Amino acid sequence: MTKAGERIKSLRKRNNLSLAILSKLTGLSKSAINRWENNKTDINGNAIVALAKFFEVTADYLLGLTDY
């Protein structure tokens, strides 16, 4: 899931959010977000939904299935 990690990191930086702030705002752990961004682990379904809603993008976009 390389694309998901890249997209999460890009969206986080585009919105000027630290890992800690994104974690607090989404309820996802900072360490999990860090692992996803660095492609250490795969992101799960619940996290995909939470991040897609937070960033107002589709799950398909986060997963790299679409470019919009």
Side-chain angles (χ1 to χ4, degrees), residues 1 3-4 7 43 48 58-66:
M1 281 211 196
K3 199 68 145 177
R7 297 240 166 129
I43 188 169
I48 292 168
T58 65
D60 284 350
Y61 174 80
L62 272 183
L63 295 172
L65 301 173
T66 63

Side-chain angles (χ1 to χ4, degrees), residues 46-58:
N46 291 334
I48 292 168
V49 171
L51 289 168
K53 285 182 178 181
F54 178 79
F55 287 118
E56 298 180 343
V57 297
T58 65

Side-chain angles (χ1 to χ4, degrees), residues 30-41:
K30 185 173 111 174
S31 61
I33 297 167
N34 185 54
R35 287 191 307 269
W36 300 327
E37 287 186 355
N38 291 296
N39 302 306
K40 304 271 185 199
T41 60

Side-chain angles (χ1 to χ4, degrees), residues 13 16 19 27 31 40 42 45-46:
K13 289 186 178 240
N16 296 312
L19 284 170
S31 61
K40 304 271 185 199
D42 289 338
N46 291 334

